[in-house]
């Protein structure tokens, strides 16, 4: 059982590391896109003398800030803290509909899906 717990924890850590690495890689591409878009929209706003052209920068900046916080900031620590708070103070939100699955429930489902099972 201890080995299985260690293996599950290792898998969770690796998946989290992959998620962070993916976010950092995505941030490189999105950061380039955001920078070029901001420069282009600024040039367009100056050329047309219309500051409304800069409006798309607002939602893009929120996406950029979120991705940066996920890859290099403290977002994961804040998410972990909130998850711990939910586990400690609002555990009723985590209950499954109709309660946890039992062996009998699984057998009933298996029997209903089996084409070859014959009731005795």
């Amino acid at each position: 059982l201890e080995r299985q717990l260690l293996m599950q924890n290792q898998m969770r850590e690796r998946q989290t590391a992959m998620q962070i690495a993916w976010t950092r890689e995505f941030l490189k591409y999105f950061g380039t896109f955001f920078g070029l878009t901001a420069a282009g929209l600024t040039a367009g706003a100056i050329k047309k003398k219309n500051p409304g052209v800069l409006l798309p920068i607002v939602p893009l900046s929120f996406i950029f800030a979120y991705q940066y916080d996920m890859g290099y900031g403290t977002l994961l620590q804040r998410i972990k803290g909130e998850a711990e708070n939910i586990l400690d103070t609002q555990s009723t939100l985590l209950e499954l509909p109709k309660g946890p699955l039992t062996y009998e429930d699984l057998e009933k489902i298996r029997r209903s899906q089996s084409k070859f099972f014959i009731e005795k």
Side-chain angles (χ1 to χ4, degrees):
L1 179 62
E2 186 177 342
R3 286 182 180 177
Q4 186 176 8
L5 291 173
L6 286 170
M7 184 180 72
Q8 287 177 343
N9 191 49
Q10 282 290 314
M11 292 302 295
R12 182 196 56 78
E13 287 178 355
R14 290 175 186 200
Q15 288 172 340
T16 303
M18 285 294 292
Q19 181 183 7
I20 295 168
W22 182 89
T23 300
R24 289 179 179 179
E25 192 64 27
F26 176 80
L27 187 61
K28 292 174 188 174
Y29 289 94
F30 187 78
T32 303
F33 167 75
F34 178 74
L36 292 172
T37 302
L41 290 174
T42 303
I46 293 170
K47 186 175 181 180
K48 292 187 177 190
K49 297 181 183 177
N50 180 6
V53 174
L54 294 172
L55 230 53
I57 290 179
V58 175
L60 291 175
S61 64
F62 278 100
I63 296 169
F64 182 77
Y66 175 83
Q67 291 295 330
Y68 183 85
D69 195 18
M70 178 71 123
Y72 295 100
T74 59
L75 180 63
L76 289 176
Q77 285 94 359
R78 294 193 315 270
I79 290 172
K80 180 182 170 206
E82 184 60 26
E84 289 172 353
N85 179 44
I86 291 168
L87 287 168
D88 292 341
T89 63
Q90 300 173 332
S91 59
T92 57
L93 296 174
L94 305 174
E95 294 173 4
L96 292 171
K98 296 185 177 183
L101 281 173
T102 64
Y103 177 77
E104 290 80 22
D105 294 334
L106 291 173
E107 280 298 303
K108 188 176 177 182
I109 293 168
R110 186 185 63 80
R111 281 190 217 121
S112 69
Q113 292 177 350
S114 176
K115 296 177 183 175
F116 302 109
F117 186 78
I118 300 171
E119 285 284 335
K120 292 184 180 182

